[in-house]
Amino acid sequence: MKFRQVSLATTNLARVKLMGANLTGALIINTNAAARYVKLYESTDTPVVGTTVPAMTIEVPASSQLALAWPNGVNFSQTMWMATTDNAADSDATAVGAGDLITQLFVE
């Protein structure tokens, strides 16, 4: 399964996959002149960006494309969620700009 999202001017919280996701890869494009962050959550409840601690944070360097592969996958036993922020801190909930990030996650 491929999850794809083009960012709006929000934190873009979205459910990627219900229970039992295995993340095998990602392709993320950052069109902004500053680094942006994709935060992945594992939770049965809807996470709160800036409050819920992410299971994984991915830095996407300024004006770049990032291709990641996990041949054995990264297991998310609960529901997998994704959000985007301007800053790396778990407590950050600063919205990215519209079109800043184009995120594609490859999930089994």
Side-chain angles (χ1 to χ4, degrees), residues 42-80:
E42 178 177 21
S43 177
T44 54
D45 299 322
T46 304
V48 177
V49 179
T51 300
T52 306
V53 176
M56 179 186 293
T57 300
I58 301 169
E59 179 181 358
V60 188
S63 304
S64 68
Q65 177 174 298
L66 184 63
L68 301 169
W70 296 276
N72 296 321
V74 178
N75 185 49
F76 288 76
S77 60
Q78 299 174 11
T79 299
M80 182 179 175

